[in-house]
Amino acid sequence: MKKILIPTDFSTANEKAIDAILKLFKHEVCEFYFLHAYTFSVNGLDALELLHADEEWYERPKQESESKLGKLIERCISLSKVESHNFHAITECSSLVNAVKKHQAHLGVDLVLLTSGGNKKVEKTNDEILNSVRDCPILIIPSNVKLGKRLSLTIASNFKQKLNNEQLDQFRKSLGGLEVEIGILVLEEEHKLSEQIKDNLEAFMLYLSKFQNAHVDLKYAKTNNQLKAYAQSHRNEIMCVVDKKPNFFRKIGLFKSDVILKLKQLNTNTVLTLHQ
């Protein structure tokens, strides 16, 4: 049984991402947790007015959230029609980042689904979630989602570190019997690979050979423009990027994750983020 956490803002883009994930996991036993986090709007209220706000004022955002989540679940049940899919609603007065981090850990979630292609506020929240949640893969689906009938996944990495395949296994196995073709995009120049990169690349290709009989598609893209061009020519594929362990400077907020920087080149694609 797979547990999938889906933050929602009830937007059309979010609904399209949910539709895509239901199709992707249609053959699997899944528990889908729809999360909506809300805060109180206190704009224009002074401290005295806030103090005298009645119970109904405090309950209204929660009730609206629960109502919208209920309608979303009804829609998913109607569309999915898969007996092995169960849906749950979580509403919480909190920032979305804190709520995702809390429930991912509490529920032991296998995958977090985010929606991209929204406004700058949505993208900023996505960046904060990517920086905060490291215990499971995160799948980012754009508003113009396109996934082929046969699932293709490209691992984009510079291979300067040996890849930890645990989260990739977690995602691949969660798809059940769905055939997945995995390729490699090395983010370095083909003729300038260090011995360490060659060793790590060879180790990863050996790992792929254990469950993938077909020849591994191996490509190279050194620059951001090359990465962007590859992504745009493979829009029906999932681009997979690996987030290395955060160093001290990233932990204190001076640097961003490499994944966040690469997402600007991958905004046309569904992106799977894994963590070292």
Side-chain angles (χ1 to χ4, degrees):
M1 179 181 68
K2 305 304 173 186
K3 296 181 179 180
I4 301 176
L5 181 64
I6 306 176
T8 180
D9 58 1
F10 310 111
S11 65
T12 300
N14 185 249
E15 285 187 354
K16 289 181 179 179
I18 291 170
D19 293 347
I21 203 77
L22 293 180
K23 291 179 182 178
L24 194 59
F25 289 90
K26 63 182 178 181
H27 298 302
E28 283 297 294
V29 179
C30 292
E31 301 286 334
F32 294 95
Y33 295 88
F34 296 112
L35 168 65
H36 181 246
Y38 66 90
T39 55
F40 293 104
S41 177
V42 295
N43 292 336
L45 295 180
D46 58 29
L48 186 60
E49 288 175 313
L50 191 60
L51 182 64
H52 287 87
D54 57 22
E55 185 176 346
E56 181 181 354
W57 185 86
Y58 285 102
E59 286 294 320
R60 191 179 301 123
K62 180 180 179 181
Q63 291 171 353
E64 291 177 353
S65 175
E66 290 174 343
S67 175
K68 289 181 179 179
L69 285 171
K71 291 177 181 178
L72 177 60
I73 288 177
E74 287 178 3
R75 177 181 178 276
C76 289
I77 292 173
S78 175
L79 288 175
S80 173
K81 298 180 181 178
V82 178
E83 292 183 0
S84 58
H85 286 179
N86 293 312
F87 304 96
H88 310 272
I90 304 173
T91 183
E92 184 164 318
C93 180
S94 170
S95 74
L96 184 58
V97 177
N98 289 338
V100 169
K101 190 174 182 179
K102 168 187 172 182
H103 291 289
Q104 186 279 323
H106 175 70
L107 295 169
V109 165
D110 300 297
L111 180 71
V112 173
L113 172 68
L114 301 179
T115 306
S116 67
N119 55 43
K120 290 184 178 180
K121 182 179 179 181
V122 170
E123 300 303 330
K124 181 180 178 181
T125 301
N126 285 353
D127 290 352
E128 292 174 352
I129 291 172
L130 286 168
N131 263 325
S132 301
V133 177
R134 298 188 53 83
D135 295 329
C136 73
I138 298 176
L139 189 66
I140 308 168
I141 297 185
S143 55
N144 57 341
V145 58
K146 293 181 180 179
L147 292 177
K149 293 182 179 179
R150 181 178 179 179
L151 192 62
S152 296
L153 181 70
T154 296
I155 309 294
S157 171
N158 59 22
F159 289 92
K160 290 182 179 180
Q161 295 179 323
K162 186 175 182 179
L163 296 193
N164 180 351
N165 303 320
E166 183 178 343
Q167 289 192 0
L168 179 58
D169 277 337
Q170 185 178 344
F171 178 74
R172 183 177 58 82
K173 291 176 181 178
S174 71
L175 298 171
L178 184 63
E179 185 177 357
V180 183
E181 180 180 294
I182 300 179
I184 299 174
L185 183 66
V186 183
L187 304 180
E188 291 288 335
E189 286 189 48
E190 181 176 1
H191 303 295
K192 295 184 179 180
L193 302 184
S194 68
E195 290 302 316
Q196 185 65 57
I197 290 176
K198 291 178 181 178
D199 289 344
N200 292 338
L201 183 57
E202 183 179 353
F204 185 69
M205 293 181 73
L206 178 62
Y207 155 78
L208 290 183
S209 69
K210 294 178 181 179
F211 59 84
Q212 183 168 304
N213 296 323
H215 174 73
V216 177
D217 186 25
L218 182 60
K219 303 290 184 181
Y220 297 84
K222 170 63 176 177
T223 67
N224 285 337
N225 285 338
Q226 290 172 332
L227 173 60
K228 185 175 183 178
Y230 180 93
Q232 290 179 337
S233 63
H234 295 75
R235 292 191 181 188
N236 291 350
E237 293 187 9
I238 296 177
M239 297 293 297
C240 176
V241 289
V242 183
D243 189 16
K244 62 185 179 182
K245 292 180 180 179
N247 59 24
F248 170 77
F249 295 103
R250 179 175 154 192
K251 287 180 178 178
I252 63 175
L254 291 181
F255 292 112
K256 289 186 177 181
S257 159
D258 289 342
V259 170
I260 293 173
L261 299 177
K262 288 185 177 70
L263 286 179
K264 294 180 180 179
Q265 281 72 48
L266 304 176
N267 57 10
T268 60
N269 295 74
T270 297
V271 179
L272 178 69
T273 68
L274 306 177
H275 307 89
Q276 289 288 69

